Amino acid sequence: MRKQRIIGIVIIIIIVLAILGINNRNIFNDNEQVIQDKQQIKQENLTIDEKVDKIVESMSQTEKLGQMVMIGIQGTKVDDDSLYMLNQYHMGGVILFDRNMESLEQVKQLTSDLQAQSNEKVPLFIGIDEEGGDVVRNAGTVHTF
C-alpha cells in the first residue's frame, strides 16, 4: 500500500514533468550550486520579499514542482529511500506518522537530519498526520524547533 502511494506520486510527477517539457538535465540538483546560491542571497542586503523572489527565480521547474509535494517516510531515521525521493524529485516536505516517532529527542534528530540532508534551496515543510479526536500522534513530541 505504501509503495503504491510512492509509485503513484512518482508517476504523477513524471506526467507533469512530461507535460511541462522539462529536459532531464534539470532533474538533478547540483548541491554545490545550491550552497553558493544560498550564501549569495544571505550576503545581499535584500528585503524578505526580494530574497524570496531571488530564490524562486533560481529554481528550476522541477524544483518548483517538487515544492508542492510532501512525502511520508518509513522509519524513525533518514534512509536512502527518503533521501532519494527528497533529492531526486526535490520534494517540498515530509509528513510524519506515528511510525516515525518514538520520543521527543528522536523526532528532533529526525527533523534535523531531514533538513540537513535535503540539499534544497528552501527548508523542508514538516507536518504531522494529526486527525484530532481519538487519533493523537505522539502528543509528547509536539514542540517548536
Side-chain angles (χ1 to χ4, degrees):
M1 177 84 168
R2 293 177 195 147
K3 288 183 180 180
Q4 289 174 338
R5 282 190 219 159
I6 291 173
I7 291 170
I9 290 171
V10 170
I11 290 170
I12 290 169
I13 291 171
I14 291 170
I15 290 169
V16 172
L17 293 175
I19 291 169
L20 294 174
I22 296 175
N23 295 328
N24 287 336
R25 290 174 286 165
N26 294 333
I27 291 176
F28 298 99
N29 188 6
D30 184 1
N31 294 338
E32 290 179 18
Q33 185 63 42
V34 169
I35 292 168
Q36 289 173 357
D37 289 346
K38 283 182 182 179
Q39 290 173 345
Q40 181 182 359
I41 291 170
K42 282 182 182 179
Q43 291 172 354
E44 295 178 18
N45 190 17
L46 303 173
T47 67
I48 189 73
D49 290 336
E50 291 169 332
K51 287 180 183 180
V52 169
D53 289 341
K54 198 158 185 91
I55 290 170
V56 172
E57 286 172 13
S58 73
M59 295 172 82
S60 69
Q61 288 181 341
T62 306
E63 290 170 316
K64 291 175 188 175
L65 180 64
Q67 288 300 302
M68 297 187 286
V69 180
M70 292 181 78
I71 62 168
I73 61 172
Q74 293 302 315
T76 57
K77 296 181 181 181
V78 179
D79 61 11
D80 290 339
D81 291 335
S82 305
L83 290 177
Y84 178 81
M85 289 297 291
L86 289 171
N87 294 315
Q88 177 72 21
Y89 300 105
H90 309 286
M91 297 297 160
V94 174
I95 184 165
L96 300 178
F97 294 92
D98 204 35
R99 68 178 179 257
N100 306 118
M101 298 181 281
E102 292 176 338
S103 69
L104 176 65
E105 288 304 314
Q106 176 270 323
V107 172
K108 186 176 180 180
Q109 185 65 50
L110 174 62
T111 57
S112 295
D113 291 346
L114 284 166
Q115 293 291 5
Q117 296 179 39
S118 72
N119 295 319
E120 294 300 320
K121 295 175 182 173
V122 295
L124 290 171
F125 184 84
I126 299 179
I128 294 179
D129 174 45
E130 183 62 58
E131 299 170 23
D134 294 335
V135 178
V136 177
R137 303 284 183 220
N138 207 353
T141 63
V142 177
H143 68 287
T144 304
F145 294 100

